[in-house]
Amino acid sequence: MSFHDGLAFAWGALRGHRLRTTLTVVGIAVGIGAVVALTALGEGARRYVVQEFAALGSNLLIVLPGKVETSGAAPFGGVLRDLTLEDFQAVERVTGVKMAAPLASGAETVRFGDLSRSVPVLGTTGEFAPLRRLHVAQGSFLPAREPHVGGFEIVLGFKVAKELFGSESPLGKTVRVGPYRFRVIGVLAPRGRGLGFDFDELALIPVRTAMRIFNRTSLFRILVECHDHRDMDTVRKRVEEVLFRRHRAQDVTVVSQDAVLEAFSSILRTLTWALSGIAAVSLLVAGIGIMNVMLVAVTERRREIGLLKAVGVTQGQVLVVFLMEALILAGLGGVLGLGLGTGSVWVFKGFYPNFPASPPSWAFAAALSVALGVGALFGLWPAARAARVDPVLALAGGGR
Amino acid sequence: MIRLENVTRVYRLGDAEVQALAGVSLTIAEGSFTALMGPSGSGKSTLLHILGLLDRPTDGRYFLQGQDVGDLPDAQRTLLRRHTIGFVFQFFHLLPRLSARGNVELPMLFAGVPSEERKERAMAALAAVGLTHRASHRPDQLSGGERQRVALARAVVMRPKLLLADEPTGNLDRVSAGEIMELITGLNRQGLTVVLVTHDPAIAAYAERVLRMADGQIVGEGKL
């Protein structure tokens, strides 16, 4: 028996039960489609996060007050020292650091005339713009200047400027942040939502001023960009060392962008796997569907199997033919499921064009091999039963 | 062609043992035409199944063309069925989804005969039973007699040495039965060894030798 002849024979048998065949195929297709779609969404989420991080620059270290790995007795023994502007200046001077920017944060209402808007207000220095790859649409960014010197200049996010000033140019105008007056010196170019901050909806002021008006003694973060990606670890250790000497305690945490990215990425990858796992349950159900249909087929076609054996069809050939039927069901389901999954991702992308959801390239090969694997797994037992049918019993008795 | 030595076949039905064949010894010459007759339960179908290698004797020996086939592994018995033995059944056992030609091609399909040759040989076999014009009809579009002729074409398309027929006319009217028996007799004249099970004396009359069975044994020989 050639492969092609066997396939044609199996296909002929399936065509005899169109409805049953179609429903079984649909069962597999739904399972495969769910796996493909959910994998695509999970993978899309991961890619989205990675993209966002990459936009921030990859040589980034983030210094935050407090220790992430708390020891058991931390709440009593650990006195947290503030992360000060002096600390920032010390970090800036560490070998291998290209530039650094301090960050103090608060939320305040920004007013112009009758219009007001409550936005996050970040205190920082001129280095923040190159560090976070921010561009200025009008005017200029915060001036590069001694961080201790305050000042009442303000740079507005794109949306804030638009909502407060409309089409008017905000440059040189005075806005009030709480009770304080600031002069608008620049508007950021539209950037959209980044991780943590929506850069279109914030206001930036000098760090010293921010600490004073928000009554903060500690910085929120220090962002550090290194010269060379390969030195990241060394620089991180040096920064830790400098701050350890200044604070006489390990009370800051320095994380690299890569580490954060890796953490997010692995969380999302786990999520993807979990989603696929849930979808795989439906695949399992579909597999049992195949087994059921094949068992029914074997029972229904006992006489046929008996006849095949009488005309000299070997047990192996009977097994192969029935296995082929299961594989055809699964294979068709796999192809249809790929279409279904890709189609639903496509529809999803119609609603959320920015979300980079697409099935990972391995999903296509994987979906088909999983489908065929399910077919083989759940088809084997019925096929083996078919192969073992006793021809004498099968041919006995009346019938067509 | 066939030699049986004291063949028995015992079935287990729960705790009871049923002796379907109680020691059958038999020789069938090549090219002969033998009919097995007897009431139901006499063991004639069991004997036919053993001759056709579909069933194994519980005891005794079976020589087919001089080869002891009683203890052959299943795979070799299957190959012997494929190439040496053809079957015709009372209920035809055609696959309803295949055309007449498809049914005749079936043994060749699994024997690995190439598609073109399959088609030619199937059409020749159908022509031999006078069904060329019905080749593309499915079994449910054929009369009982036509179905059995298709089955007969299928039985001989692998050019077997032995044709085993189990009540081949049991489901047919007289006319169709006569046609089938003429075809079988014709094949026998061309050298095919035929063993036929029937309980109809008129059908047994086509055979040159009639064996009577009762209670799992051969109890008599000769025409009525």
Side-chain angles (χ1 to χ4, degrees):
Chain A
M1 173 182 61
S2 74
F3 177 75
H4 175 259
D5 288 339
L7 212 57
F9 185 80
W11 176 237
L14 288 173
R15 273 168 51 108
H17 296 279
R18 266 162 232 248
L19 185 63
R20 196 158 84 190
T21 301
T22 310
L23 289 176
T24 313
V25 165
V26 166
I28 287 285
V30 166
I32 291 288
V35 172
V36 169
L38 290 177
T39 317
L41 294 187
E43 182 62 17
R46 195 185 67 82
R47 237 179 271 168
Y48 178 71
V49 168
V50 170
Q51 268 175 22
E52 286 295 327
F53 271 96
L56 300 180
S58 61
N59 293 356
L60 210 62
L61 290 175
I62 302 158
V63 183
L64 44 151
K67 201 76 193 130
V68 170
E69 304 100 310
T70 49
S71 60
F76 297 103
V79 177
L80 274 189
R81 291 200 50 168
D82 293 336
L83 200 55
T84 63
L85 283 177
E86 288 75 19
D87 289 337
F88 158 66
Q89 284 175 309
V91 167
E92 230 181 355
R93 285 192 298 268
V94 167
T95 325
V97 171
K98 188 171 165 195
M99 57 180 148
L103 220 53
S105 79
E108 191 51 277
T109 307
V110 180
R111 286 196 180 78
F112 175 71
D114 298 337
L115 297 170
S116 71
R117 192 163 164 80
S118 185
V119 292
V121 177
L122 289 184
T124 185
T125 60
E127 280 80 13
F128 188 70
L131 228 156
R132 286 251 131 157
R133 315 281 187 262
L134 293 176
H135 297 283
V136 176
Q138 300 173 51
S140 58
F141 198 69
L142 297 173
R145 130 182 358 141
E146 245 293 278
H148 283 286
V149 181
F152 288 89
E153 299 93 356
I154 191 166
V155 174
L156 298 177
F158 175 74
K159 235 184 201 161
V160 182
K162 203 168 170 195
E163 283 173 14
L164 292 182
F165 293 94
S167 53
E168 219 178 314
S169 167
L171 291 184
K173 302 269 165 38
T174 301
V175 296
R176 285 156 61 109
V177 177
Y180 306 95
R181 293 162 168 280
F182 285 80
R183 187 167 57 88
V184 179
I185 58 165
V187 176
L188 293 177
R191 163 72 173 270
R193 171 162 284 281
L195 278 172
F197 285 113
D198 185 344
F199 286 103
D200 292 345
E201 261 184 289
L202 50 63
L204 297 155
I205 59 175
V207 63
R208 184 80 201 117
T209 317
M211 290 175 82
R212 202 181 306 140
I213 68 176
F214 294 131
N215 201 16
R216 299 276 151 87
T217 53
S218 175
L219 291 170
F220 171 60
R221 297 281 188 271
I222 300 173
L223 303 181
V224 181
E225 185 171 336
C226 306
H227 275 293
D228 193 331
H229 190 76
R230 284 165 296 184
D231 293 343
M232 295 272 288
D233 244 20
T234 336
V235 175
R236 187 172 59 86
K237 286 200 185 92
R238 282 191 206 127
V239 169
E240 275 172 348
E241 213 176 279
V242 164
L243 291 172
F244 178 74
R245 272 207 306 274
R246 294 180 54 83
H247 294 182
R248 295 191 193 83
Q250 285 273 4
D251 61 356
V252 297
T253 303
V254 184
V255 294
S256 68
Q257 169 101 328
D258 285 359
V260 178
L261 177 61
E262 197 39 57
F264 265 107
S265 186
S266 86
I267 288 169
L268 289 167
R269 195 171 289 135
T270 311
L271 182 78
T272 304
W273 282 111
L275 287 174
S276 324
I278 293 165
V281 172
S282 62
L283 205 54
L284 186 77
V285 173
I288 293 171
I290 287 193
M291 177 137 72
N292 183 36
V293 161
M294 291 312 298
L295 283 176
V296 170
V298 171
T299 309
E300 268 185 4
R301 282 154 61 194
R302 280 172 58 81
R303 212 187 306 274
E304 170 182 334
I305 299 164
L307 174 90
L308 289 178
K309 291 195 160 183
V311 300
V313 178
T314 63
Q315 286 205 5
Q317 286 176 323
V318 172
L319 184 106
V320 165
V321 164
F322 274 82
L323 201 54
M324 273 179 170
E325 285 184 32
L327 287 177
I328 291 172
L329 289 174
L332 284 179
V335 172
L336 192 66
L338 265 181
L340 211 64
T342 323
S344 46
V345 170
W346 189 71
V347 168
F348 179 85
K349 282 179 89 166
F351 290 107
Y352 303 96
N354 287 329
F355 192 75
S358 60
S361 52
W362 50 263
F364 293 96
L368 275 186
S369 31
V370 165
L372 291 177
V374 165
L377 189 70
F378 290 98
L380 197 58
W381 186 52
R385 273 177 69 122
R388 281 199 308 267
V389 164
D390 179 352
V392 172
L393 293 180
L395 289 168
R400 291 172 293 225
Chain B
M1 179 83 199
I2 288 172
R3 187 153 54 88
L4 296 184
E5 289 177 1
N6 203 24
V7 164
T8 62
R9 179 68 172 96
V10 179
Y11 293 107
R12 292 203 141 272
L13 278 178
D15 287 340
E17 286 194 342
V18 180
Q19 190 151 41
L21 289 182
V24 172
S25 296
L26 173 65
T27 308
I28 292 173
E30 186 152 1
S32 64
F33 188 162
T34 309
L36 293 174
M37 282 192 77
S40 359
S42 60
K44 55 192 194 307
S45 283
T46 304
L47 180 58
L48 198 76
H49 288 143
I50 285 178
L51 291 179
L53 301 174
L54 292 173
D55 201 356
R56 285 177 188 271
T58 309
D59 209 354
R61 305 181 80 183
Y62 172 17
F63 295 92
L64 179 63
Q65 296 187 301
Q67 184 185 11
D68 187 346
V69 293
D71 297 323
L72 281 183
D74 277 338
Q76 289 186 42
R77 289 159 61 89
T78 303
L79 288 184
L80 274 174
R81 279 203 298 275
R82 176 184 293 177
H83 293 291
T84 313
I85 304 172
F87 288 93
V88 179
F89 304 94
Q90 179 179 1
F91 297 106
F92 324 133
H93 291 311
L94 300 176
L95 300 199
R97 64 174 180 275
L98 297 181
S99 66
R101 197 189 96 209
N103 270 289
V104 177
E105 281 191 31
L106 204 57
M108 296 187 283
L109 180 94
F110 286 94
V113 175
S115 157
E116 275 307 304
E117 188 187 337
R118 268 199 326 254
K119 187 178 168 186
E120 268 172 41
R121 279 169 65 176
M123 288 311 291
L126 283 171
V129 297
L131 281 181
T132 307
H133 61 295
R134 306 293 255 170
S136 55
H137 288 58
R138 285 206 317 271
D140 56 7
Q141 299 165 315
L142 300 174
S143 71
E146 287 172 327
R147 288 185 210 181
Q148 194 60 300
R149 271 144 67 187
V150 172
L152 190 59
R154 179 182 62 194
V156 297
V157 77
M158 291 295 288
R159 296 160 192 149
K161 295 279 185 295
L162 175 63
L163 179 68
L164 301 175
D166 191 355
E167 305 269 14
T169 57
N171 260 16
L172 301 179
D173 58 76
R174 283 230 152 257
V175 179
S176 302
E179 285 169 4
I180 289 293
M181 288 318 296
E182 287 304 326
L183 285 170
I184 290 178
T185 310
L187 288 165
N188 173 244
R189 272 190 213 111
Q190 288 163 34
L192 183 66
T193 312
V194 178
V195 178
L196 176 143
V197 164
T198 185
H199 54 254
D200 181 348
I203 296 301
Y206 283 90
E208 55 200 27
R209 180 186 181 199
V210 178
L211 297 173
R212 297 172 181 289
M213 291 191 69
D215 301 326
Q217 284 176 312
I218 294 175
V219 293
E221 183 171 346
K223 293 212 174 195
L224 273 177

